[in-house]
Amino acid sequence: QKEVEQDPGPLSVPEGAIVSLNCTYSNSAFQYFMWYRQYSRKGPELLMYTYSSGNKEDGRFTAQVDKSSKYISLFIRDSQPSDSATYLCAMRSGGSYIPTFGRGTSLIVHP
Amino acid sequence: GAGVSQTPSNKVTEKGKYVELRCDPISGHTALYWYRQSLGQGPEFLIYFQGTGAADDSGLPNDRFFAVRPEGSVSTLKIQRTERGDSAVYLCASSSPLGSGANVLTFGAGSRLTVL
């Protein structure tokens, strides 16, 4: 079993939908949680990061962390075709500077 | 530079050949990372530098893989006796000095390696 599990999808939604992307993890030492977006043939770019549990909002994006369930989520409101990409979750413990990545979820937002 | 630069963007080689992949990090970033991403998978950690030294090389799959960062800036990932299974996108990332926040990584576009 991998430390970080993420459903690869693809997840296909109509424009304007609310999208929910999720990851589960097994290492209770993880404290920093990140979401990256990766377009085809590009490197991952950071969308959001969260420390410990709770919610964080940035525009149309909301990140949630539930450490008791070892479950993190990224919500995208009013999804746009330009949001079509692979979304990678990543996480690391406080004692490490090396993030562990999920395999990514492919999102397709169709007009 | 403004971002992380990786060269070449694409490399096709034959099985058994030697390959070098170069990474030029963001100026002032002391930490540098190499990850490998296979098709349909997330980035897999290879090696992490803090300054000139390899702080953690536990992700290197075997002794055919080696990386250097002699002056604490540009890094080169070296792969000897390439195998078809080495085909992947090799991603480089850098981050700002330790203690400056969440240590968020900024990635380059990657070097796509194809071993025939």
Side-chain angles (χ1 to χ4, degrees), chain A residues 72-91:
Chain A
I72 71 170
S73 300
L74 177 71
F75 297 95
I76 307 174
R77 290 183 298 280
D78 187 25
S79 55
Q80 302 296 309
S82 58
D83 294 328
S84 298
T86 296
Y87 289 80
L88 297 155
C89 63
M91 47 199 80

Side-chain angles (χ1 to χ4, degrees), chain B residues 29-110:
Chain B
H29 279 192
T30 56
L32 185 146
Y33 302 74
W34 284 99
Y35 281 80
R36 176 169 69 176
Q37 188 173 26
S38 300
L39 191 63
Q41 301 298 316
E44 173 192 6
F45 169 71
L46 294 177
I47 187 168
Y48 155 59
F49 287 90
Q50 188 57 242
T52 60
D56 189 325
D57 64 357
S58 62
L60 295 177
N62 51 61
D63 61 6
R64 295 187 299 105
F65 289 76
F66 190 71
V68 295
R69 195 186 184 199
E71 297 177 357
S73 178
V74 171
S75 176
T76 304
L77 178 65
K78 308 180 180 195
I79 310 173
Q80 298 177 322
R81 304 182 305 279
T82 51
E83 300 178 357
R84 293 193 180 89
D86 299 335
S87 297
V89 176
Y90 289 80
L91 294 166
C92 177
S94 67
S95 67
S96 48
L98 298 181
S100 61
N103 194 49
V104 169
L105 274 59
T106 301
F107 282 87

Side-chain angles (χ1 to χ4, degrees), chain A residues 36 38 41 43 46 92 97 99, chain B residues 33 35 37 102 104-105 108 112:
Chain A
Y36 284 81
Q38 186 174 26
R41 294 188 173 264
L46 180 74
R92 66 174 180 89
Y97 292 99
Chain B
Y33 302 74
Y35 281 80
Q37 188 173 26
V104 169
L105 274 59
R112 182 176 298 271

Side-chain angles (χ1 to χ4, degrees), chain A residues 17 20 30 32-33 39 52 55 57 64 67 70-71 81 91 97-98 102-103 107 109:
Chain A
S20 173
F30 286 146
Y32 293 90
F33 303 91
Y39 291 113
S52 195
N55 293 1
E57 187 173 323
Q64 285 187 351
K67 290 189 71 179
K70 297 191 180 67
Y71 187 89
M91 47 199 80
Y97 292 99
I98 301 168
R103 67 179 295 181
L107 173 66
V109 182

Side-chain angles (χ1 to χ4, degrees), chain A residues 7-44:
Chain A
D7 189 325
L11 178 61
S12 181
V13 301
E15 183 175 354
I18 297 175
V19 175
S20 173
L21 302 165
N22 312 293
C23 288
T24 59
Y25 62 95
S26 57
N27 188 343
S28 57
F30 286 146
Q31 290 184 292
Y32 293 90
F33 303 91
M34 291 143 282
W35 286 96
Y36 284 81
R37 177 174 63 196
Q38 186 174 26
Y39 291 113
S40 180
R41 294 188 173 264
K42 302 289 186 184

